[in-house]
Amino acid sequence: MYAIVRAGGRQEKVSVDDVLNIDKVSAETGATITWQPILVVDDDNVVSDVDKLSGYTVTAEVLGETKGPKINILKYKNKTGYKKRQGHRQKHTQVRVTGISAK
């Protein structure tokens, strides 16, 4: 059984005991997050109707905060002496999916 949920600005395919890195969420370590699924697949049964999906919930436990890969940004203009370096690391929240349940 798996579900598709909207976590931050992306859609993620999740099943029980999956560990995901999602966009930063303002929840403490050990807190529980619930999502409303967009699609639920249980063997041959595929649920995509909005009315039926309102009965499903996906729960996840917050494991902690992580950082994404380092991105190096370099701006350069030829023959002018202009050069600028900048770096960035996106902050993520690591979660473990604990259950996909129907009400």
Side-chain angles (χ1 to χ4, degrees):
M1 175 180 221
Y2 69 89
I4 307 290
V5 296
R6 182 171 289 124
R10 297 180 192 76
Q11 293 180 359
E12 300 280 345
K13 178 182 175 183
V14 298
S15 57
V16 178
D17 290 331
D18 281 353
V19 177
L20 303 170
N21 287 327
I22 61 171
D23 291 339
K24 187 176 177 186
V25 179
S26 61
E28 296 182 11
T29 302
T32 302
I33 298 174
T34 59
W35 289 306
Q36 197 68 26
I38 299 170
L39 177 82
V40 175
V41 177
D42 186 10
D43 294 330
D44 294 331
N45 186 17
V46 178
V47 179
S48 62
D49 185 27
V50 177
D51 296 331
K52 292 180 183 177
L53 283 174
S54 63
Y56 286 91
T57 57
V58 176
T59 57
E61 174 190 3
V62 176
L63 299 178
E65 292 186 6
T66 60
K67 290 184 179 179
K70 175 84 171 194
I71 297 171
N72 292 316
I73 302 161
L74 178 66
K75 295 182 180 179
Y76 175 79
K77 296 213 184 243
N78 194 13
K79 300 177 186 171
T80 62
Y82 174 77
K83 182 169 48 170
K84 181 179 178 184
R85 284 178 52 149
Q86 184 178 1
H88 176 74
R89 285 188 79 179
Q90 185 70 32
K91 294 186 177 168
H92 297 292
T93 301
Q94 192 172 41
V95 297
R96 173 178 284 124
V97 178
T98 56
I100 301 171
S101 60
K103 292 179 186 176

